[in-house]
């Protein structure tokens, strides 16, 4: 009886979830779940956790061919985008409102993934990356990545209210608090505070103030983890992280440093906009 030879797995290849995450198709955990659900096929056979991809392999996700070779060695990119009030963090908006993704440079492979969201009435620092695993780690509650906001409120706030917001209050989706509150001046009815939270629940900063009867008239994110808004970065503009800053960010969430790009592949940044140099 003739035996059927099974193609051996190349232990030097990369796992399916790592490659698809790098291409921005999802986080590693999401891809692992897709594999467990039977949505991924490798060379016509249902993939299993631990499978590695080698040159020439055929990969399908939900019945569609994935040209994984294009991003098998894709370099991680990270943008700091200055989102204005009025834009929404979505790829398409049924109401026809402007979306942040139309303001970004085009990617030849993969897609931009937003690290969290800012609601339509919130401006400031929005991180975007083509690395799904990096985005997932920056957002994951276990990482406790803090976010800092500049908040303009109406009226005076007592020390008792500030202390209560730091100790924690009960919201409709559970307890929440500010990790830090600092007064940043203001005249008349308007007062500015900088507040820090370490989770990304929907409208969390606004809801915390509103729980104490305080009205927020302006809200702007100025920092996400290690990254702050670059000085002079205007609305609708972006700044791309240089290699050293990118390495620090990757290491902060337990990911390895990036390998340097080949000569002629680097980009230059001008007024917040990315332009590719001539090769």
């Amino acid at each position: 009886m003739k035996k059927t030879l099974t193609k051996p797995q190349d232990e030097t290849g990369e796992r399916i979830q790592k490659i698809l995450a790098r291409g921005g198709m999802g986080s590693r955990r999401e891809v692992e779940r897709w594999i467990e659900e039977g949505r991924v096929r490798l060379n016509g056979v249902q993939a299993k956790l631990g499978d590695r991809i080698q040159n020439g392999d055929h990969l399908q996700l939900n019945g569609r061919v994935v040209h994984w070779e294009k991003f098998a060695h894709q370099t991680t990119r990270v943008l700091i985008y200055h989102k204005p009030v009025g834009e929404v963090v979505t790829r398409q908006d049924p109401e026809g409102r402007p979306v942040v993704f139309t303001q970004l440079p085009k990617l030849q492979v993969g897609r931009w993934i937003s690290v969290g969201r800012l609601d339509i009435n919130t401006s400031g620092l929005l991180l975007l990356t083509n690395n799904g695993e990096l985005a997932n780690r920056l957002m994951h509650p276990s990482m406790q990545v803090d976010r800092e906001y500049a908040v303009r409120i109406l009226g005076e706030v007592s020390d008792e209210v500030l202390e209560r917001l730091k100790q924690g209050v009960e919201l409709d989706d559970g307890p929440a608090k500010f990790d830090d509150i600092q007064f940043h001046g203001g005249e008349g009815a308007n007062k500015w505070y900088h507040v820090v939270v370490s989770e990304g629940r929907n409208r969390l900063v606004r809801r915390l103030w509103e729980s104490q009867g305080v009205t927020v008239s302006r809200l702007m994110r100025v920092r996400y983890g290690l990254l702050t808004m670059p000085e002079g970065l205007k609305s609708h503009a972006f700044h791309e992280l240089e290699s050293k800053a990118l390495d620090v960010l990757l290491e902060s969430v337990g990911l390895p440093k990036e390998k340097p790009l080949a000569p002629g592949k680097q980009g230059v940044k001008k007024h917040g906009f990315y332009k590719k140099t001539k090769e």
Side-chain angles (χ1 to χ4, degrees):
M1 185 175 182
K2 188 176 180 180
K3 294 183 178 180
T4 302
L5 296 178
T6 303
K7 186 179 180 181
Q9 282 288 313
D10 182 359
E11 291 303 317
T12 64
E14 288 192 286
R15 296 186 189 278
I16 294 172
Q17 60 266 34
K18 184 175 181 180
I19 289 181
L20 295 189
R22 187 188 298 120
M25 302 192 71
S27 71
R28 292 192 195 186
R29 290 186 179 181
E30 287 176 320
V31 178
E32 287 171 356
R33 187 178 72 249
W34 299 341
I35 293 172
E36 291 175 336
E37 292 171 351
R39 296 164 60 183
V40 180
R41 298 183 73 83
L42 181 62
N43 298 321
V45 178
Q46 183 174 315
K48 61 184 183 299
L49 290 176
D51 281 352
R52 295 173 181 266
I53 302 182
Q54 6 174 348
N55 290 335
D57 279 347
H58 182 77
L59 188 67
Q60 291 175 287
L61 174 62
N62 297 325
R64 300 180 63 178
V65 176
V66 178
H67 298 288
W68 61 270
E69 299 92 344
K70 293 182 179 181
F71 45 77
H73 301 289
Q74 180 173 267
T75 300
T76 295
R77 295 175 63 183
V78 175
L79 303 180
I80 297 176
Y81 176 67
H82 188 163
K83 175 196 171 301
V85 170
E87 281 186 357
V88 290
V89 186
T90 185
R91 299 186 190 280
Q92 293 183 330
D93 183 64
E95 299 179 32
R97 296 171 296 185
V99 299
V100 301
F101 291 97
T102 61
Q103 309 293 327
L104 307 178
K106 301 296 183 183
L107 290 171
Q108 292 184 343
V109 295
R111 62 175 183 168
W112 291 115
I113 304 166
S114 65
V115 179
R117 293 174 179 267
L118 294 175
D119 66 47
I120 190 171
N121 294 316
T122 301
S123 64
L125 186 156
L126 179 68
L127 289 184
L128 301 112
T129 180
N130 62 340
N131 186 325
E133 182 63 20
L134 174 60
N136 181 64
R137 293 197 184 197
L138 286 168
M139 290 185 287
H140 201 276
S142 65
M143 289 293 177
Q144 293 284 292
V145 178
D146 55 4
R147 296 90 156 152
E148 182 176 347
Y149 293 80
V151 188
R152 187 177 70 187
I153 64 171
L154 294 175
E156 300 287 342
V157 180
S158 68
D159 291 340
E160 290 78 9
V161 166
L162 296 178
E163 186 61 28
R164 197 152 52 237
L165 288 170
K166 287 191 289 186
Q167 292 299 320
V169 297
E170 191 69 30
L171 301 179
D172 55 7
D173 56 354
K177 66 183 179 70
F178 289 131
D179 296 329
D180 189 39
I181 307 175
Q182 297 292 331
F183 179 63
H184 271 246
E187 298 179 356
N190 293 316
K191 300 291 187 298
W192 282 94
Y193 287 87
H194 277 218
V195 300
V196 176
V197 294
S198 55
E199 55 179 322
R201 274 189 271 171
N202 185 41
R203 298 183 71 253
L204 180 61
V205 173
R206 290 183 187 275
R207 291 191 292 134
L208 276 167
W209 286 108
E210 291 168 357
S211 74
Q212 305 304 303
V214 178
T215 300
V216 173
S217 60
R218 188 175 176 187
L219 181 59
M220 179 179 184
R221 185 156 67 194
V222 296
R223 180 172 62 84
Y224 195 108
L226 302 175
L227 301 176
T228 58
M229 181 76 79
E231 186 176 351
L233 187 65
K234 298 179 179 180
S235 294
H236 302 289
F238 57 82
H239 167 78
E240 181 163 7
L241 293 195
E242 302 285 357
S243 58
K244 289 183 179 180
L246 178 60
D247 284 344
V248 172
L249 181 65
L250 289 166
E251 287 189 309
S252 73
V253 293
L255 292 175
K257 294 181 180 180
E258 288 284 301
K259 294 181 180 179
L261 287 176
K265 298 293 184 178
Q266 294 287 353
V268 296
K269 290 80 181 172
K270 185 176 181 181
H271 305 305
F273 291 90
Y274 179 91
K275 293 184 178 180
K276 188 176 180 181
T277 55
K278 292 182 180 180
E279 298 184 7

